[in-house]
Every structure is written in C-alpha cells, then in structure tokens.
C-alpha cells in the first residue's frame, strides 16, 4: 500500500482504533530483553502472512464502525519483516477499516545496515514513522548490551530514517552497568546533536530469567545505585526539556505535536487490536457501551501460528471482561504516567469509579499531584519521581462514584480514542 494511495476517511471519523502487530523474531537475543522475541532458523513468510491476515479479519469483525488512527509494528524486530508482508497487512487494514486522515503507522527497527536497506520499501508500503533501537551511542556499551551494531551505524540509520520517513524516533537505555552520570550527560548531548523530534529513554530493567538478571543476582553486574539512576533520570528530563523535548510520559520525550499517537491511545485507555503471538488487545465489551474485553494471544510463535492457521481467528489464548475496578486501575496506572494526566470524568465514564477528593487534596498538598480545573490530575515533577507510590495511594481510594451504576455508564466511554 503506497502512502499516497491510502484512501482516508474524513476526520474525525470516531470512535478510533489502534492496531498493534507483533513480529516475534530477532537475529540474536539481547541479554537484558524479555520481550516475546526469538531467534528462528527459518520463518515461512507465506504462513505468517495467512495467519496475520486471518487475525486482522477477526478483529475487523469485532470493531466495526471504528476508524484506524494508528498501526504499530512492534517486536521482536519488525524491520526483519519482508516489506511485501508489511505492505500486504497495511492493504488488508485499509480494506477492512476506514483510516484516519492522520493515521500514524510506526515500525520498530534495528539499526544494522541490512535493515537500513529496507527503509525505502517500508516507506513505500505506507510506514510513516520509524522507531529505531539505538540503545547507546558508545561502542563499548553496545557490546556489553549484546547489540550487533556500532554507534556510527546507529547514527547513520537515524539520519537515513529521518530522510525516508515523515517522522523518526530512537530509543536509548540508561543506568547501564558501569555508567556514570557524567558519561550519560555526554551521551545525551551527542543524542541531542542528532536533533530528534522524539526520543524514548528507558532505565535498564533487570527482567527475571534474562542473562543480565542472573549476572545481577550473582553480583556481577555493576549497576548504578538507585540514587545515581534517579539523578540520571532528573538530568534526562532537564536536558531534554531545555532542548524542546519535554517528557509527555515517564520515558518518552517529544517536540509538541510529535508524540507517538499509538502509545497515547494506550495511555488514554483507548480501544486496540493486538495481532500476533502474545499480543494484548482491549475491545469494547459486547452488548454494552461501557466496559472492556481484555484479550491475550498465545505467546509461543509456533503455537500461535499453528492455532491461527488451523482454526482461523486471532490465536486468542485468554479473553475476559474486565470488572469496573480493574478498568479503573488500568486507566489510573497508564494515564498518570503521562504529562496530560488523568481525567476524573473519563475515569467515571470508563469504570463508574472515582478517587477520593481527600486523598487528592493530601497529595496536592504534598506537592506530588497537580489539579487542573475540577477534572484533570497529573503528577508534578516531584510526583513523577515517586510515581508508584502516588498511584498506589490513589488506587487504594478507588470506589464506585456517587450516583453511578453500571446501567448509567455512558456509551462509547473510549471517547473516540
Ligand atoms: C522491542 S524492543 C525494540 C526493537 C528492536 N528489537 C531493538 O531492540 O532495537 C523495544 C525497546 O525496549 C527497550 N528495552 C528492551 N528491554 C529493556 C530492558 N530490560 N530495560 C530497559 N529497556 C528495555 C529497548 O530500548 C528497545 O528499543
Ligand atoms: S532488544 Fe530488540 S533486538 Fe534485542 S532481543 Fe529484544 S526485541 Fe530483539
């Protein structure tokens, strides 16, 4: 599907829909990563195409009347996908749903030279935003992270991405073994010299069952202590904000207007399809305007493929209707990570619940929460640093809002997100 040939519905054709597509393969497994990603000897493109198309059709049946506002190819390493497969999936999406005029189509990429060679073909297929896994701008650090590219290759890949796609972003990992705050400051300065309009900065997490986790347990990974990691995070927020990329979420920084729309849809508790092994989805609960179905697809790529090819459908392993309190918790957890924060009216519309005004007043008094009007609540600069505590304290006070019963919940609580 060529970008120019996308037939777009006039805006705003609400309500909206995001589509996540998971490609579970990588060339090698990084020692810190616990994503659903695998090194495969052989990937049968024809089978994967059939399975993905079946899954898209399954979701199309259940999300009629919605307009696709974003598509996100995540992984794994989706830049390993054949561009013809990406094109076929985007064509099927355009055939099944109307597309928003500003539809955002992101693909995650690794910066190796082989993948750079495919950038033009991805753009021709309709991808209009590339998210590049740079991770570090230092060759020794990249080796330690088990990456197969150099810093120079990553910079060249980003330069090419910027020329090829209307929007490009890159990921960095901070608080790495042996890293000092001064080194991180120099690295961030180099990153800013590339003038990105969007940057994701993740603190290195020790994920259970990864080689890094085991090394850490044996005391063989020299990680910065908590205070140093916090200092690096404060520095990141300061430096990026003064360069014109304020945080719009805990780990994401962008020039105004350059925020990732697909991720915003998650954080605003929108409706999304999840296509591929292990993908999650949130659909409207059947028969009611309010409520969410939570779906998870079979995690193993081989089993997901078999299940989808044999039985059609989306390879769904679990499907449950969320209780109002669960939805309230999910919305709280996600929206408070963002700069725009949460809307109490939306919390009530989604779940019929509200947080305690006394707790809100207490957290505002402590300088951890800010209120905008009667509706919006967001973490302050200080609150972001202790966000888990702020969210837990608010979550403890969640209770059914006065005068709200499930019958009274309004229709389309996703508000078109
Ligand atoms: C699915 S991966 C990205 C795509 C691509 N496979 C890559 O590695 O370049 C998404 C991002 O998650 C981040 N990430 C993965 N594991 C992490 C960990 N343990 N701690 C912090 N960030 C992590 C990395 O920045 C990575 O770019
Ligand atoms: S970080 Fe990216 S390339 Fe490395 S294993 Fe995870 S998904 Fe694959």
């Amino acid at each position: 599907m060529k970008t120019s040939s996308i037939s777009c519905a006039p805006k705003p054709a609400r309500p909206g829909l995001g589509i996540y597509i998971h490609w579970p393969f990588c060339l090698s497994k990084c020692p810190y990563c616990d994503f659903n990603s695998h090194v495969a000897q052989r990937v049968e493109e024809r089978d994967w195409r059939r399975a993905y198309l079946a899954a898209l059709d399954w979701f199309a049946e259940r999300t009629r009347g919605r307009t696709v506002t974003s598509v996100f190819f995540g992984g794994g390493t989706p830049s390993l996908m054949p561009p013809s497969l990406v094109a076929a999936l985007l064509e099927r999406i355009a055939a099944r749903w109307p597309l928003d005029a500003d539809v955002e189509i992101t693909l995650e990429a690794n910066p190796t030279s082989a993948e750079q060679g495919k950038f033009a073909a991805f753009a021709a297929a309709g991808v209009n935003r590339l998210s590049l896994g740079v991770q570090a701008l230092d060759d020794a650090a990249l080796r330690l992270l088990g990456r197969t590219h150099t810093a120079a290759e990553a910079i060249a890949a980003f330069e090419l991405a910027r020329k090829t796609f209307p929007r490009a972003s890159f990921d960095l990992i901070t608080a790495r073994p042996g890293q000092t705050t001064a080194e991180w400051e120099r690295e961030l300065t180099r990153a800013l010299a590339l003038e990105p309009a969007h940057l994701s900065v993740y603190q290195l997490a020790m994920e259970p069952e990864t080689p890094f986790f085991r090394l850490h347990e044996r005391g063989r990974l020299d990680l910065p202590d908590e205070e140093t990691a916090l200092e690096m995070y404060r520095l990141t927020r300061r430096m990026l904000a003064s360069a014109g990329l304020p945080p719009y979420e805990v780990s994401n920084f962008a020039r105004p207007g350059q925020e990732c729309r697909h991720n915003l849809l998650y954080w605003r508790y929108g409706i999304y399809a999840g296509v591929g092994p292990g993908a999650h989805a949130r659909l409207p609960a059947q028969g009611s305007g309010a409520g969410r179905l939570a779906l998870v697809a079979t995690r193993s790529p081989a089993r997901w493929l078999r299940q989808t090819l044999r039985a059609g459908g989306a390879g769904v392993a679990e499907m449950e209707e969320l209780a109002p309190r669960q939805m309230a918790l999910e919305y709280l957890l996600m929206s408070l990570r963002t700069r725009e924060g949460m809307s109490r009216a939306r919390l009530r519309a989604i779940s019929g619940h509200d947080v305690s005004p006394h707790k809100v007043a207490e957290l505002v008094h402590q300088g951890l929460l800010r209120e905008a009007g009667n509706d919006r609540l967001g973490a302050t600069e200080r609150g972001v640093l202790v966000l888990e505590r702020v969210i837990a304290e608010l979550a403890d006070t969640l209770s059914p809002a006065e005068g709200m019963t499930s019958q009274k919940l309004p229709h389309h609580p996703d508000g078109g997100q």
Side-chain angles (χ1 to χ4, degrees):
M1 178 181 68
K2 299 230 175 348
T3 319
S4 54
S5 70
I6 296 177
S7 67
C8 295
K11 219 188 151 188
R14 294 175 171 234
L17 173 76
I19 301 179
Y20 175 79
I21 300 178
H22 190 78
W23 179 257
F25 303 114
C26 294
L27 286 183
S28 57
K29 184 83 191 176
C30 306
Y32 53 86
C33 175
D34 81 336
F35 280 81
N36 188 15
S37 61
H38 309 263
V39 179
Q41 295 306 322
R42 206 180 140 74
V43 177
E44 206 50 72
E45 185 192 339
R46 229 179 32 174
D47 289 347
W48 280 88
R49 178 189 302 239
R50 264 181 58 213
Y52 280 129
L53 293 178
L56 283 171
D57 287 350
W58 190 89
F59 277 108
E61 282 292 308
R62 284 151 187 85
T63 53
R64 282 196 199 162
R66 287 184 178 267
T67 295
V68 173
T69 49
S70 60
V71 180
F72 194 101
F73 290 91
T77 307
S79 49
L80 294 174
M81 290 173 84
S84 57
L85 175 56
V86 171
L89 302 189
L90 291 177
E91 266 162 30
R92 181 59 63 96
I93 289 170
R96 292 287 180 265
W97 290 274
L99 302 182
D100 187 85
D102 281 334
V103 64
E104 173 191 88
I105 303 177
T106 302
L107 183 124
E108 284 185 335
N110 270 25
T112 61
S113 44
E115 286 154 85
Q116 288 176 51
K118 291 153 83 181
F119 283 5
F122 287 133
V127 172
N128 57 22
R129 182 174 181 274
L130 198 87
S131 171
L132 198 64
V134 169
Q135 321 307 3
L137 286 170
D138 172 280
D139 285 343
L142 286 169
R143 278 193 296 276
L144 183 77
L145 291 173
R147 303 292 291 180
T148 56
H149 56 86
T150 61
E153 262 184 310
I155 292 170
F158 182 65
E159 297 295 358
L160 181 65
R162 212 208 316 253
K163 284 188 211 134
T164 313
F165 301 94
R167 297 163 74 204
S169 168
F170 62 91
D171 294 354
L172 291 174
I173 295 182
T174 178
R176 306 185 304 250
Q179 191 180 41
T180 65
T181 308
E183 280 165 1
W184 173 239
E185 185 172 1
R186 283 195 291 277
E187 194 170 339
L188 211 46
T189 306
R190 283 203 294 282
L192 282 171
L194 301 173
E195 298 185 349
H198 185 289
L199 199 55
S200 302
V201 181
Y202 301 110
Q203 180 176 329
L204 180 64
M206 290 298 111
E207 303 292 356
E209 291 176 35
T210 58
F212 265 24
F213 183 84
R214 289 189 285 274
L215 281 175
H216 181 51
E217 269 193 324
R218 282 187 261 135
R220 294 195 25 217
L221 215 53
D222 173 26
L223 287 180
D225 60 30
E226 227 172 275
E227 186 43 49
T228 310
L230 205 59
E231 193 179 282
M232 289 183 189
Y233 182 59
R234 280 197 219 103
L235 177 77
T236 307
R237 287 177 76 90
R238 247 195 342 266
M239 280 180 71
L240 295 188
S242 32
L245 288 89
Y248 68 99
E249 190 262 357
V250 172
S251 307
N252 285 281
F253 304 81
R255 293 202 181 286
Q258 293 298 314
E259 298 85 0
C260 172
R261 290 174 211 141
H262 187 78
N263 284 337
L264 279 175
L265 177 134
Y266 293 148
W267 299 323
R268 290 172 177 165
Y269 212 52
I271 296 290
Y272 56 94
V275 174
H280 289 244
R282 289 288 179 280
L283 298 183
Q286 269 167 354
S288 77
R292 291 283 189 278
L293 279 183
L295 296 88
V296 191
T298 297
R299 187 173 165 88
S300 144
R303 257 184 280 137
W304 181 82
L305 187 67
R306 258 198 318 275
Q307 185 180 349
T308 310
L309 290 179
R310 264 194 213 140
V316 174
E318 293 165 36
M319 173 147 58
E320 75 164 314
E321 185 163 346
L322 296 177
R325 191 180 161 76
Q326 277 174 296
M327 295 190 285
L329 276 172
E330 287 193 340
Y331 176 61
L332 214 65
L333 271 169
M334 286 185 294
S335 61
L336 283 173
R337 294 179 61 87
T338 64
R339 182 183 49 206
E340 68 185 22
M342 59 168 274
S343 148
R344 289 175 75 177
R346 183 154 171 70
L347 173 67
R348 285 194 295 271
I350 290 168
S351 67
H353 280 56
D354 203 351
V355 288
S356 142
H358 299 298
K359 180 50 81 178
V360 169
E362 186 187 317
L363 289 167
V364 168
H365 182 70
Q366 290 172 11
L368 301 177
L369 208 58
R370 60 188 152 71
E371 268 183 301
N374 283 332
D375 187 44
R376 288 256 157 212
L377 294 177
T380 59
E381 277 295 309
R382 270 182 55 211
V384 170
L385 305 179
V386 288
L387 192 58
E388 274 180 36
R389 189 190 115 202
V390 172
I391 292 175
E393 287 194 21
L394 276 177
D396 272 351
T397 71
L398 274 172
S399 62
E402 240 167 72
M404 295 284 276
T405 66
S406 54
Q407 281 75 32
K408 284 194 186 161
L409 291 180
H411 280 259
H412 294 307
D414 58 302
Q417 308 294 339

